[in-house]
Amino acid sequence: MNDPIPHVPDELEILTRLSLSANPAPVPAASRSRCDETMDAIKAYILRERLQPGDVLPTETQLCDAIGASRSSVREAVRKLEALNIVKVEHGKGTFVGSLSLDPMVETLAFRSMVSVGRNFADLQDVVQLRRLLDLGCADEVVASLAGTEQPQLMELADAMIASAAEDRTFLGPDIDFHLGLLDALHNTVAKQMVRSLWLVHMAVLPQLGLPVSDELNRTADAHKRMLTAALAGDVDGYREAVIDHYEPIESILRHRIQEQ
């Protein structure tokens, strides 16, 4: 059974606390921990000062004064924010705004899916489905960016996957390079991070299923080649059809496993 979607007003309250105003409205202390409040205050400071990844934060003492928090609260908050890649501590150099990558989400999704393996396959099915929906959603932009161009590197990756499949070998490296390469011309960093993150979750969980190399490996490899060929020809419908064929083997396996439960 899937978790319920978070209540929207609660999510909006979180965003309200991260106000760009110099004096955001306080939240009743009884409802939240001191560490949570300090984490919000540090994030609000980053936003208010318009700091970017890699920018240095004030010293611990200066930060305490800036947000009105104790040293112990700031230290605990910084440790938790570092785990989320929101800040980065370099001993002897200082504390910086972190990379803000989606890596924490990857770890959580992968672990969640691994925990469910053997009990249910719905979490992995959701990840695979989201990958497919994301690829389909980017179809128009990908095809528009690649139509009429020459893409020797992507073609080489597609051919490498077909060659590996012919030898019953998987092709993880060329696979992720291919999917990210399709998005290069879009110049959308968030889309590439999402594609990479969902791919990593998918590939981290897949070995836990104990599945043999799929008999459909050739079909999956061929689908990559057809995606690229369709994109270069400006054929959006052909591209979408190839995307669906790309995910059908693993989605078919997962549907079968879920029906057996």
Side-chain angles (χ1 to χ4, degrees):
M1 181 174 175
N2 291 334
D3 293 336
I5 296 174
H7 188 45
V8 173
D10 292 341
E11 300 300 308
L12 292 177
E13 180 184 323
I14 293 173
L15 295 178
T16 300
R17 290 200 299 270
L18 300 181
S19 171
L20 291 176
S21 65
N23 298 297
V27 178
S31 66
R32 311 184 65 247
S33 72
R34 189 168 299 173
C35 179
D36 287 340
E37 292 176 351
T38 306
M39 288 172 66
D40 281 351
I42 294 173
K43 287 186 283 187
Y45 178 91
I46 292 171
L47 293 174
R48 190 167 59 249
E49 298 298 321
R50 303 191 183 280
L51 301 181
Q52 299 298 308
D55 287 348
V56 65
L57 285 166
T59 65
E60 184 178 276
T61 301
Q62 292 170 333
L63 195 54
C64 290
D65 292 339
I67 65 176
S70 66
R71 294 172 71 96
S72 60
S73 294
V74 167
R75 287 174 183 171
E76 184 180 2
V78 166
R79 281 197 296 271
K80 290 189 174 183
L81 290 173
E82 187 172 26
L84 297 172
N85 288 341
I86 292 176
V87 304
K88 179 181 180 182
V89 177
E90 296 187 16
H91 297 289
K93 295 183 178 180
T95 302
F96 303 82
V97 178
S99 64
L100 309 180
S101 76
L102 299 180
D103 288 350
M105 182 193 74
V106 173
E107 291 188 23
T108 300
L109 279 176
F111 188 72
R112 173 190 171 115
S113 300
M114 287 177 182
V115 165
S116 69
V117 167
R119 182 172 56 86
N120 72 76
F121 298 94
D123 286 336
L124 180 55
Q125 184 184 49
D126 288 346
V127 169
V128 174
Q129 183 182 57
L130 185 55
R131 283 193 66 200
R132 173 169 54 81
L133 293 174
L134 187 56
D135 280 347
L136 290 173
C138 292
D140 287 328
E141 289 79 4
V142 168
V143 171
S145 68
L146 296 180
T149 68
E150 294 184 3
Q151 299 293 329
Q153 290 183 323
L154 289 177
M155 192 63 71
E156 183 178 339
L157 290 170
D159 288 337
M161 286 186 276
I162 290 175
S164 294
E167 299 176 359
D168 291 329
R169 293 186 293 108
T170 55
F171 36 78
L172 298 185
D175 190 9
I176 185 57
D177 289 343
F178 179 85
H179 283 283
L180 294 179
L182 288 177
L183 300 176
D184 277 344
L186 272 58
H187 304 295
N188 188 321
T189 302
V190 175
K192 292 188 73 171
Q193 282 195 22
M194 284 297 298
V195 166
R196 175 182 175 275
S197 297
L198 292 171
W199 184 91
L200 287 171
V201 173
H202 182 174
M203 297 306 163
V205 177
L206 204 56
Q208 309 301 318
L209 300 179
L211 300 175
V213 175
S214 173
D215 293 336
E216 301 277 2
L217 200 61
N218 287 302
R219 178 180 173 184
T220 302
D222 180 66
H224 288 90
K225 182 71 169 281
R226 289 193 293 114
M227 286 169 63
L228 179 58
T229 301
L232 297 179
D235 181 2
V236 177
D237 290 337
Y239 182 86
R240 289 198 176 99
E241 182 180 341
V243 167
I244 292 171
D245 283 348
H246 167 269
Y247 290 105
E248 176 55 29
I250 183 60
E251 288 192 302
S252 177
I253 291 172
L254 291 172
R255 283 194 300 268
H256 182 67
R257 289 295 183 94
I258 290 172
Q259 289 170 0
E260 289 180 336
Q261 293 175 338

